[in-house]
DNA sequence: GTACAGGCAGTAT
DNA sequence: ATACTGCCTGTA
């Protein structure tokens, strides 16, 4: 890479476009060449500067590059109210991505996905927003979750203007705590209103403290989250991975479940765990099966299991022809 | 009309 | 321990 100012050069290549479209963060929208996202009280924005410059073959370091993304776009970042350098935090540019990808490349499937979805990053979410977002995520799909969160933001967030357009901040924990069940249900969240209330109550009372959980180990933080009504294994793992710095978390949803029975069944087989015998035909996991499967996969992928999960997840959605 | 979508809690076996 | 069931809501 000849341009020392390019983000590829400074941070190892990353592609915010593929990350925001991966479904790991719900409140993003594309307008023209720009993407706008809600990050708590702020609206963050990046624009793809398509300067037509294509990457040249610089001595093999690009050999893993997917041919589809051989063009190195530049990106411009801004926000309102302004947060300097938010992209570093949100796209986890502080991670040693070279090390992460190198370790995970030991697995054949993840290695393929890394090549294919070059530049995909894990995104770091604002913890309270992440908690409430996944409180809405049970038994539904991404389109519905987006709708619920947009409705909640309109009703309980603060309107602000950015680039001459209207946006809403994410609702404060306090406002969601004060809301009644029917206020929340008016946003189309249905029975999940009880989970939202439970999360708000735990946060307001100090019973659940995200700053505290960030500094605890995976197991301990997870058991705290599981005490909240409506938060189960999968949702807790998403919250841990996306906002509480648990890169070793490995959320298992139906897509990852498919990937496991297809590509990683040998791992469970090797474990000799009898309660996993029926897993190949029945892809839905009981609580105990989830815990067991999660343990083996986390042991296999190691401290960066969450990155592996993200690449596998994105891959499964892609080959299934995702639509949202 | 019916099945289903990035789960979970409650209840019955 | 494991299996089964209902749940809000919109879309196919």
């Amino acid at each position: 890479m000849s341009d020392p100012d390019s983000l590829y050069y400074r941070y190892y290549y990353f592609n915010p476009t593929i990350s925001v479209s991966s479904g790991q963060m719900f409140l993003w929208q594309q307008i023209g060449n720009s993407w706008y996202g809600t990050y708590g009280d702020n609206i963050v924005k990046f624009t793809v500067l398509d300067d037509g410059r294509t990457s040249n073959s610089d001595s093999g370091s690009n050999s893993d590059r997917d041919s589809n993304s051989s063009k190195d776009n530049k990106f411009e970042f801004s926000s309102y109210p302004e947060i300097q350098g938010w992209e570093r935090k949100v796209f986890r540019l502080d991670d040693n991505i070279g090390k992460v990808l190198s370790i995970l490349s030991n697995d054949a499937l993840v290695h393929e996905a890394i090549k294919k979805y070059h530049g995909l990053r894990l995104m770091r979410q604002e913890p309270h927003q992440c908690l409430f977002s996944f409180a809405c995520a049970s038994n539904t799909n991404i389109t519905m979750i987006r709708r619920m969160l947009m409705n909640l933001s309109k009703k309980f967030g603060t309107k602000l203007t950015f680039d001459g357009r209207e946006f809403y901040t994410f609702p404060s924990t306090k406002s969601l705590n004060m809301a009644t069940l029917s206020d929340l249900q008016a946003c189309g969240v249905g029975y999940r209103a009880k989970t939202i209330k439970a999360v708000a109550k735990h946060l307001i009372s100090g019973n659940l403290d995200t700053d505290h959980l960030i500094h605890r180990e995976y197991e301990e933080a997870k058991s705290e989250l599981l005490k909240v009504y409506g938060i189960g294994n999968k949702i807790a793992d998403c919250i841990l991975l996306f906002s509480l710095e648990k890169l070793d978390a490995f959320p298992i949803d139906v897509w990852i479940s498919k990937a496991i029975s297809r590509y990683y069944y040998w791992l469970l087989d090797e474990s000799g765990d009898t309660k996993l015998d029926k897993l190949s035909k029945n892809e839905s996991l009981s609580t105990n099966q989830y815990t067991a499967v999660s343990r083996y996969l986390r042991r296999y992928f190691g401290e960066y299991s969450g990155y592996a999960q993200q690449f596998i997840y994105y891959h499964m959605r892609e080959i299934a022809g995702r639509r949202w």
Side-chain angles (χ1 to χ4, degrees), chain A residues 5-25:
Chain A
D5 288 330
S6 78
L7 288 162
Y8 180 90
Y9 195 86
R10 281 190 286 155
Y11 295 129
Y12 198 87
Y13 180 76
F14 81 106
N15 183 352
T17 308
I18 187 172
S19 299
V20 299
S21 64
S22 70
Q24 55 180 308
M25 199 170 175

Side-chain angles (χ1 to χ4, degrees), chain A residues 100-115:
Chain A
V100 171
L101 300 184
S102 150
I103 289 175
L104 296 181
S105 291
N106 289 323
D107 179 78
L109 178 68
V110 176
H111 182 60
E112 287 308 303
I114 288 171
K115 286 193 288 186

Side-chain angles (χ1 to χ4, degrees), chain A residues 70-290:
Chain A
S70 61
K71 187 195 284 187
D72 277 345
N73 285 315
K74 282 190 170 184
F75 303 96
E76 179 183 82
F77 301 94
S78 59
S79 51
Y80 182 81
E82 189 168 345
I83 320 173
Q84 281 289 334
W86 64 267
E87 69 274 14
R88 187 176 171 81
K89 183 197 280 189
V90 171
F91 293 109
R92 304 196 65 98
L93 303 183
D94 47 342
D95 282 339
N96 186 345
I97 194 69
K99 181 183 174 192
V100 171
L101 300 184
S102 150
I103 289 175
L104 296 181
S105 291
N106 289 323
D107 179 78
L109 178 68
V110 176
H111 182 60
E112 287 308 303
I114 288 171
K115 286 193 288 186
K116 207 167 172 187
Y117 313 117
H118 196 76
L120 175 63
R121 291 280 187 149
L122 257 180
M123 291 175 71
R124 185 184 271 122
Q125 305 187 19
E126 196 286 312
H128 284 206
Q129 177 175 348
C130 188
L131 268 160
F132 288 116
S133 296
F134 284 97
C136 295
S138 81
N139 192 27
T140 187
N141 55 47
I142 290 179
T143 309
M144 291 294 293
I145 299 167
R146 285 171 54 85
R147 179 174 308 162
M148 294 178 212
L149 295 178
M150 288 190 288
N151 290 340
L152 288 170
S153 298
K154 259 188 179 169
K155 194 173 170 85
F156 299 105
T158 303
K159 178 160 52 169
L160 44 85
T161 306
F162 182 30
D163 284 356
R165 295 174 185 279
E166 275 185 11
F167 293 93
Y168 290 87
T169 63
F170 197 81
S172 69
T173 302
K174 193 177 170 185
S175 66
L176 292 175
N177 185 55
M178 291 190 302
T180 66
L181 280 181
S182 56
D183 287 340
L184 296 170
Q185 278 165 341
C187 299
V189 301
Y191 63 87
R192 303 168 191 85
K194 283 168 72 178
T195 307
I196 296 172
K197 287 293 289 180
V199 168
K201 193 177 165 188
H202 275 79
L203 289 173
I204 290 288
S205 72
N207 210 342
L208 195 62
D209 180 349
T210 53
D211 289 332
H212 175 70
L213 294 184
I214 283 172
H215 296 102
R216 304 261 71 83
E217 292 299 311
Y218 169 83
E219 295 290 352
E220 187 184 346
K222 183 164 181 178
S223 70
E224 288 301 309
L225 288 176
L226 291 177
K227 291 175 183 169
V228 182
Y229 175 90
I231 306 286
N233 258 321
K234 185 266 176 181
I235 288 176
D237 278 335
C238 287
I239 295 164
L240 291 168
L241 175 61
F242 296 133
S243 73
L244 300 179
E245 305 298 323
K246 304 298 177 274
L247 294 184
D248 54 333
F250 190 85
I252 303 171
D253 55 34
V254 296
W255 297 97
I256 295 294
S257 202
K258 281 174 191 162
I260 291 171
S261 54
R262 228 189 263 181
Y263 305 110
Y264 297 101
Y265 192 74
W266 59 272
L267 200 56
L268 310 181
D269 228 9
E270 225 171 51
S271 75
D273 197 326
T274 53
K275 65 173 161 293
L276 302 178
D277 286 350
K278 287 187 283 186
L279 208 60
S280 52
K281 42 183 173 186
N282 180 14
E283 284 166 352
S284 77
L285 299 176
S286 71
T287 303
N288 287 332
Q289 284 178 331
Y290 186 108

Side-chain angles (χ1 to χ4, degrees), chain A residues 30-58:
Chain A
Q30 183 176 20
I31 301 174
N33 287 330
S34 297
W35 287 82
Y36 295 84
T38 305
Y39 189 85
D41 293 329
N42 304 74
I43 304 301
V44 294
K45 171 193 179 187
F46 69 85
T47 302
V48 182
L49 303 177
D50 188 2
D51 58 6
R53 183 176 54 88
T54 50
S55 69
N56 48 17
S57 49
D58 55 323

